[in-house]
Amino acid sequence: MAETFLFDIAERVLEKLVHLSVDEVRLAFNVKTDLKKLEDTMISIKAVLLDAERQQHQNEKLRLCMWKLRDIFYDAEDLIDDFKCETLCKQDAINHLNTNSSKVRFLASCSTCLPLSFSLRMAHKIKAINRRLGELATEWNSFDLRQCSDNRHVFRRETISFVDSSDVIGRDEDKEKIINMLRKPSKDRNVPVIPIVGLGGLGKTTLAQLVYNDDRVITLFPLKIWICVSEEFDLSRLLKLIIQSVNEKVKCDDLPLNALQAHLTSLLKDKKFLLVLDDVWNENQAKWVQLRNLLRSKDGLSQNKIIVTTRSLKVASIMSSIPPYEPKGLSLENCLTLFTKWAFNDGDERHYPNLIRIGQDIVKKCKGVPLAVRTLGSLLFQKTDESDWIYIRESEIWRLEQHENDILPVLKLSYNHLPSHLQRCLAFLSLYEKDEIYYSDKVIRLWMANGLLEHPKQNQEWEDVGKRYLNELQLRCLIQKERDFGLYFTFKMHDLVHDLVLDVSQKECKTVNSKTKTVDENVRHLLLCDEKSVEVLRVLEKLEKVQTVIVQTSSLRSKIFDKSLINLCVSNFKYLRALALRSPLRALPNSIGTLKHLRDLDLANCMGIQKLPSSFYKLRSLQSLNLAGSGLKQLPDSVQRLIELRHLVITIEAKHLKEIRAGCWTSLQYLELHACMELECLPEGMQYLKSLRTLVLIFCHKLVSLPRSLKFLTKLEHLQIVSCHQMNLKMEPQEEEDKDLQLSLKTLSLVNLPALTDLPRWLLQGSSSTLQQLQIMFCENLSVLPAWLLNLTSLHELEIVGCRNLSALPEGIDRLTNLRELTIDGCPQLSKRYREMGVKIGTKLLTSKTLSLSIRIEECGKILISYKSGAELWLEIFDV
């Protein structure tokens, strides 16, 4: 069922109201009282929204009222953003005229006399929103909603320990692995915990049941206890369940905690037990520690074991120090066997080979998740009409009718357990097609553009908040990281989770193609992915409230369509926040400057664009601008007037970039020069980029060196230089103050730099206490690493790949006491030298650390040395 996301929208709007500055409010006359009225009304509504969310599924009138509120809240957000846009306009005017003092004085004198039209318009809009809220108040109050705590996530799900093993398909290997883990002796007084972690419906509980009922486990553990924990991790409740499971005759309903503890200790004394805690959601470590301590062995090492099933890697890390067991999805063959079991009576499938062929396509939709297979099989039980099977095959799972214990309701528990801000961010990911690779940095920028992130705390940036959100979703198994590239990572979403987010985001996000007949007029985010552009444009013409438009790469490549689309966006979508248009577009219309709310503009690979329109400077809200692969001759001055810009990727054909002026790009966090083939040097004025955290230089073949002005970028954390063929980085300190240079680099990547013969001492030594990762790859003329490399006392990872002439590491590398990973690959001279010394290096490093260390030396894809240490030390040396 489509979600309103009303609670989170209310939180974001109220947050913006609170952060409205005095100067922004002054932009309109006599609105302070009306803004306060709006804030008070929204606070009172938000106070009872949790109760409304609980009741809406049983009260259609309430649900419709909530949809009306959602639209009003969105309009309120647009109104507040109008204040921000006007403030930026004023600030830009001041910055642009600061070279002419008389003009500045004139502007300052009239700064309190902004156009009367804006003031009147804003006053009218605020009153209109207050009036709409007032008109809805009578209906809203009639629902008699109550203020309540945020206990939306509390639910109770019951499971039992019994399972018929003949009903379980494809889990024998998993069962054996868990049983082998149970047999391992303990090395601690605490009861060892084996976490089984995975997506809802993957079969974690079933796997635990198989293990629990295995004859070997029954022999190994005379006492077995099965507890379904579910949402409420209450110590008193859990102790009662454990006690009654051990001895059902004990009456403990009214016993205090001390008495429960005494009973438990008495019952478990001298008993070897296996405890299964099924369906654990608790992320409060203190609650777990309380229970763990009561189960701890009082004398010697614990012989007992605990199995925990959970959907959360965070829960697993809190409860156990061993890596979680993550069962994979079932094979296609096992899925088909399970599907047949649920779709037919025993043996009947032999009479319907045509249905089995369709069933093969149906189970592919389930992507190995047993509960999804069972759900679809159950829907087809005793149905032998081929049309019924074709309907299931052709339908999206989220559109099919489902019962409480079917796959989507079970997955919805994971969604319901999310905080409101994560629910909305997860739903936004439906704006990608199934099986698409997500890029973390792009997702975060789209979240930022649409105001989905909480306001950063002190010493945090918006990007940091986005990274935290993605980490939370990964820990909850709702997304899966594919590959880590350092500055960003890629991830995927299971098809069934994608079905879930499609369901909840129906009225927020929409994929539009030639089959789309209509789109809800209040939809905010669009993905366009079809070649038939006429039909797509016809649908879009009826919309006005769109905030995001993404044109799928390699689709809709018609130049006529591109021009028509961007003209439509400008004319219809006045509150557009994000536009991704990767196409052969030749030019942007000058009218694009009217998109004053636009925050993310992605024009990557628009090779036909050779210049930007004169109105481009009016995009003052722009936070992210991607011009990679464009045909720009030069970056115009108008781009420097974008004072909100945080992320900038540029491709230009010029030899020089224009000087960066003081006061420009003061918020810029990320700067990438991409395929600037003729660029000979970085622009003057780099020292003004005081907020810059990441600098990336890729395929700038004529770039020779870095400007010394980089030494003033004290917030720079990440520097990546890739395939800059003339880059040599030879810059010894020339000024006395460089000796005490303090930079903040955390990662440095030097990749495919054939002119590099030495590492940049000024850059690395200045970051000696902060640098954590150093990557040197395919620098063929680098022959030696300097002795001062050992001064990098914070270095965690050192990766050296494809440096064929590198012959030695600095003597005394064991002084790098924080080193966790040392990788050498494709360096024949270095590999030969250290093959015999690998054990010695590892031993030296190990003596000065307590955490894990990994040394890996390869040549021609063959491992020469693989050495790891941690809780257990192991070493493998392979012959060449």
Side-chain angles (χ1 to χ4, degrees):
M1 183 178 289
E3 298 282 324
T4 63
F5 307 105
L6 195 54
F7 188 84
D8 184 64
I9 296 170
E11 280 195 324
R12 295 290 83 77
V13 175
L14 283 169
E15 195 175 65
K16 287 185 176 185
L17 276 169
V18 169
H19 283 92
L20 267 180
S21 68
V22 174
D23 287 340
E24 287 170 337
V25 174
R26 283 176 180 167
L27 291 174
F29 307 125
N30 302 321
V31 298
K32 190 173 181 180
T33 302
D34 288 329
L35 280 174
K36 186 67 171 66
K37 180 181 178 181
L38 174 61
E39 182 179 352
D40 291 343
T41 304
M42 290 195 67
I43 289 173
S44 65
I45 292 172
K46 177 176 172 284
V48 297
L49 275 180
L50 295 177
D51 192 22
E53 287 185 349
R54 268 203 304 273
Q55 295 188 35
Q56 61 174 321
H57 301 296
Q58 288 77 42
N59 189 330
E60 185 61 23
K61 285 187 177 180
L62 172 59
R63 187 165 175 77
L64 291 173
C65 189
M66 290 175 70
W67 283 112
K68 293 176 188 176
L69 271 179
R70 185 198 76 149
D71 294 335
I72 297 174
F73 285 3
Y74 265 131
D75 290 345
E77 183 177 36
D78 291 339
L79 179 143
I80 297 165
D81 286 349
D82 276 335
F83 279 104
K84 178 70 173 176
C85 291
E86 200 68 18
T87 302
L88 291 173
C89 178
K90 177 182 174 183
Q91 183 62 48
D92 174 53
I94 293 172
N95 292 347
H96 189 56
L97 297 174
N98 64 6
T99 54
N100 187 322
S101 59
S102 61
K103 288 183 179 179
V104 173
R105 284 194 297 272
F106 170 76
L107 185 69
S109 67
C110 65
S111 62
T112 57
C113 305
L114 282 158
L116 186 61
S117 59
F118 174 78
S119 181
L120 293 174
R121 189 168 66 252
M122 297 306 292
H124 173 75
K125 283 185 176 182
I126 298 169
K127 288 183 184 297
I129 288 174
N130 281 330
R131 183 171 62 252
R132 289 163 65 192
L133 287 172
E135 291 168 355
L136 207 60
T138 303
E139 183 181 3
W140 183 252
N141 293 334
S142 70
F143 298 118
D144 195 27
L145 300 170
R146 295 284 185 264
Q147 187 171 348
C148 57
S149 60
D150 190 358
N151 59 353
R152 292 171 296 168
H153 310 143
V154 173
F155 56 87
R156 187 67 56 80
R157 177 172 165 256
E158 290 297 329
T159 62
I160 59 175
S161 61
F162 174 76
V163 67
D164 186 341
S165 59
S166 65
D167 289 336
V168 182
I169 308 295
R171 288 301 183 201
D172 290 340
E173 186 179 338
D174 296 302
K175 182 183 75 170
E176 292 303 316
K177 289 179 179 178
I178 298 294
I179 291 175
N180 287 336
M181 295 169 78
L182 289 175
R183 285 172 167 166
K184 286 185 178 180
S186 172
K187 297 183 178 181
D188 196 349
R189 284 179 59 212
N190 288 325
V191 182
V193 177
I194 300 170
I196 303 175
V197 183
L199 191 68
L202 193 59
K204 302 179 296 297
T205 297
T206 302
L207 178 55
Q209 289 167 332
L210 279 177
V211 172
Y212 189 89
N213 290 285
D214 189 273
D215 290 340
R216 292 164 292 174
V217 173
I218 294 171
T219 303
L220 196 59
F221 299 98
L223 176 61
K224 297 185 299 150
I225 307 164
W226 180 282
I227 303 297
C228 181
V229 179
S230 198
E231 171 70 9
E232 191 179 358
F233 199 95
D234 177 73
L235 183 61
S236 177
R237 169 181 166 257
L238 293 178
L239 291 181
K240 290 174 185 177
L241 289 172
I242 294 172
I243 290 168
Q244 289 175 341
S245 178
V246 176
N247 187 344
E248 60 184 19
K249 295 179 180 179
V250 177
K251 304 300 181 185
C252 54
D253 288 346
D254 300 322
L255 293 180
L257 204 54
N258 280 339
L260 291 172
Q261 177 187 342
H263 266 293
L264 181 68
T265 303
S266 173
L267 287 170
L268 296 183
K269 187 177 181 182
D270 300 325
K271 288 187 174 67
K272 186 179 179 183
F273 65 82
L274 169 66
L275 171 63
V276 175
L277 297 174
D278 184 43
D279 196 30
V280 179
W281 297 77
N282 170 60
E283 295 182 353
N284 185 327
Q285 187 177 20
K287 288 185 176 183
W288 159 242
V289 170
Q290 280 184 307
L291 178 60
R292 182 198 68 188
N293 290 345
L294 293 179
L295 299 172
R296 177 185 285 169
S297 175
K298 300 298 183 288
D299 48 346
L301 302 179
S302 176
Q303 300 300 308
N304 309 310
K305 294 288 195 303
I306 298 175
I307 293 176
V308 168
T309 71
T310 178
R311 304 184 188 193
S312 168
L313 288 165
K314 186 174 181 180
V315 170
S317 67
I318 286 172
M319 299 184 73
S320 177
S321 59
I322 68 171
Y325 187 80
E326 301 182 69
K328 306 297 182 186
L330 298 183
S331 67
L332 187 59
E333 181 182 357
N334 284 330
C335 282
L336 190 58
T337 303
L338 182 63
F339 176 80
T340 303
K341 255 181 139 11
W342 284 92
F344 296 98
N345 284 318
D346 287 345
D348 284 358
E349 69 273 10
R350 294 193 304 269
H351 305 302
Y352 302 99
N354 59 323
L355 298 184
I356 292 297
R357 283 192 294 272
I358 299 171
Q360 289 175 342
D361 293 329
I362 291 174
V363 297
K364 288 177 183 177
K365 296 155 68 83
C366 302
K367 291 297 177 77
V369 175
L371 183 57
V373 175
R374 193 191 79 178
T375 297
L376 298 188
S378 299
L379 287 173
L380 292 168
F381 181 62
Q382 292 189 332
K383 292 182 179 179
T384 56
D385 191 318
E386 195 170 289
S387 64
D388 291 328
W389 287 61
I390 292 172
Y391 172 75
I392 296 294
R393 183 186 67 186
E394 301 301 323
S395 298
E396 295 280 3
I397 289 179
W398 65 275
R399 294 186 184 276
L400 300 173
E401 182 181 353
Q402 302 197 23
H403 303 292
E404 183 181 357
N405 290 318
D406 287 341
I407 183 61
L408 276 192
V410 167
L411 279 179
K412 187 81 184 308
L413 296 178
S414 294
Y415 172 84
N416 291 339
H417 193 262
L418 293 172
S420 59
H421 57 273
L422 283 182
Q423 289 180 347
R424 198 167 165 213
C425 286
L426 180 66
F428 190 91
L429 298 182
S430 67
L431 209 60
Y432 293 75
E433 292 202 296
K434 281 185 179 177
D435 292 323
E436 190 165 346
I437 298 293
Y438 297 80
Y439 290 80
S440 62
D441 54 337
K442 292 180 184 178
V443 167
I444 290 170
R445 291 198 299 273
L446 285 172
W447 284 346
M448 286 172 56
N450 284 284
L452 304 187
L453 302 182
E454 295 173 306
H455 205 276
K457 297 175 183 176
Q458 193 172 11
N459 299 323
Q460 272 195 332
E461 298 291 345
W462 290 101
E463 294 81 357
D464 300 323
V465 178
K467 289 175 184 175
R468 174 163 56 84
Y469 281 18
L470 285 175
N471 186 52
E472 281 287 324
L473 294 176
Q474 184 190 350
L475 288 173
R476 295 168 189 260
C477 298
L478 293 169
I479 62 173
Q480 294 81 44
K481 185 183 287 190
E482 287 279 297
R483 189 175 173 188
D484 196 330
F485 292 89
L487 298 180
Y488 64 92
F489 64 88
T490 56
F491 64 92
K492 295 187 76 173
M493 177 184 285
H494 195 284
D495 281 4
L496 295 174
V497 179
H498 194 273
D499 282 323
L500 171 67
V501 297
L502 280 172
D503 185 28
V504 299
S505 67
Q506 292 177 56
K507 294 195 176 184
E508 282 279 310
C509 306
K510 183 71 175 179
T511 297
V512 179
N513 53 41
S514 59
K515 297 178 182 178
T516 307
K517 302 304 179 186
T518 59
V519 177
D520 189 291
E521 64 179 6
N522 293 313
V523 159
R524 261 41 189 202
H525 313 291
L526 297 175
L527 171 67
L528 312 183
C529 53
D530 204 292
E531 297 291 348
K532 297 181 180 179
S533 55
V534 176
E535 289 88 343
V536 171
L537 287 172
R538 192 175 294 123
V539 171
L540 298 187
E541 285 171 355
K542 302 172 184 177
L543 306 178
E544 293 182 354
K545 298 182 178 181
V546 174
Q547 295 182 350
T548 304
V549 174
I550 299 175
V551 179
Q552 188 182 21
T553 307
S554 78
S555 294
L556 302 170
R557 306 293 291 189
S558 160
K559 296 174 185 177
I560 296 174
F561 172 80
D562 292 331
K563 186 175 181 180
S564 301
L565 173 64
I566 200 161
N567 286 333
L568 187 146
C569 288
V570 170
S571 61
N572 282 29
F573 308 152
K574 295 300 183 184
Y575 290 96
L576 193 67
R577 263 63 167 200
L579 174 62
L581 185 65
R582 300 183 171 204
S583 67
L585 188 71
R586 290 188 175 275
L588 294 172
N590 201 49
S591 56
I592 196 171
T594 62
L595 296 178
K596 62 180 183 178
H597 290 271
L598 192 64
R599 295 170 186 164
D600 190 313
L601 179 58
D602 189 345
L603 298 171
N605 301 318
C606 292
M607 294 176 286
I609 296 180
Q610 298 186 1
K611 65 177 184 178
L612 299 177
S614 59
S615 66
F616 203 78
Y617 74 95
K618 293 182 180 179
L619 301 177
R620 301 179 184 94
S621 297
L622 211 58
Q623 297 172 343
S624 175
L625 175 60
N626 188 352
L627 296 167
S630 70
L632 282 182
K633 304 296 182 184
Q634 177 59 275
L635 196 67
D637 291 336
S638 59
V639 177
Q640 289 201 36
R641 294 178 65 177
L642 305 178
I643 54 181
E644 289 287 284
L645 205 59
R646 303 175 67 85
H647 184 277
L648 177 61
V649 183
I650 309 168
T651 298
I652 63 164
E653 297 180 2
K655 293 183 178 181
H656 303 278
L657 277 164
K658 293 184 178 181
E659 180 180 358
I660 300 170
R661 301 188 304 272
C664 296
W665 293 344
T666 54
S667 298
L668 196 65
Q669 302 274 316
Y670 180 100
L671 174 61
E672 178 179 331
L673 302 181
H674 185 98
C676 301
M677 302 295 193
E678 302 299 319
L679 192 68
E680 296 177 352
C681 61
L682 294 186
E684 295 292 325
M686 289 288 290
Q687 66 271 19
Y688 297 127
L689 305 181
K690 298 293 187 183
S691 297
L692 194 68
R693 295 204 296 176
T694 304
L695 176 61
V696 178
L697 308 172
I698 301 180
F699 299 121
C700 298
H701 293 327
K702 294 188 177 181
L703 203 59
V704 175
S705 61
L706 299 177
R708 300 197 63 77
S709 56
L710 251 63
K711 68 183 182 181
F712 298 108
L713 303 183
T714 55
K715 289 190 177 181
L716 188 66
E717 295 179 348
H718 310 286
L719 176 59
Q720 190 176 90
I721 306 175
V722 180
S723 297
C724 298
H725 292 163
Q726 296 185 35
M727 179 71 76
N728 58 46
L729 293 173
K730 282 188 177 179
M731 286 185 283
E732 292 298 322
Q734 297 176 358
E735 301 175 18
E736 192 65 28
E737 59 266 26
D738 286 348
K739 293 179 181 179
D740 300 318
L741 190 62
Q742 291 297 314
L743 298 177
S744 303
L745 276 185
K746 291 182 179 178
T747 68
L748 174 63
S749 295
L750 306 173
V751 181
N752 191 21
L753 306 180
L756 185 69
T757 58
D758 199 4
L759 297 183
R761 182 170 185 170
W762 68 279
L763 198 58
L764 287 169
Q765 294 234 112
S767 303
S768 61
S769 62
T770 59
L771 193 72
Q772 297 174 9
Q773 298 177 11
L774 176 58
Q775 182 184 58
I776 307 169
M777 302 179 69
F778 307 109
C779 298
E780 58 190 43
N781 290 310
L782 185 67
S783 59
V784 65
L785 295 181
W788 51 258
L789 193 70
L790 305 179
N791 295 332
L792 305 179
T793 54
S794 295
L795 196 65
H796 290 177
E797 298 177 26
L798 175 58
E799 182 179 10
I800 307 169
V801 177
C803 300
R804 305 195 63 81
N805 291 311
L806 190 62
S807 58
L809 297 176
E811 290 296 329
I813 194 171
D814 53 295
R815 285 164 48 191
L816 295 176
T817 55
N818 284 304
L819 195 65
R820 300 289 171 267
E821 293 185 26
L822 171 60
T823 303
I824 299 172
D825 186 11
C827 306
Q829 295 189 50
L830 204 57
S831 300
K832 182 179 179 181
R833 178 176 180 131
Y834 288 104
R835 183 183 176 195
E836 300 301 327
M837 297 178 62
V839 179
K840 185 178 178 183
I841 295 171
T843 304
K844 274 193 170 187
L845 285 166
L846 189 63
T847 57
S848 56
K849 62 175 80 257
T850 56
L851 297 178
S852 62
L853 163 71
S854 170
I855 297 178
R856 189 177 181 89
I857 301 179
E858 298 185 35
E859 187 58 39
C860 300
K862 195 166 189 178
I863 300 173
L864 303 183
I865 293 177
S866 178
Y867 176 99
K868 290 187 179 181
S869 67
E872 296 180 358
L873 174 67
W874 55 272
L875 170 68
E876 296 175 16
I877 302 180
F878 296 79
D879 291 330
V880 180

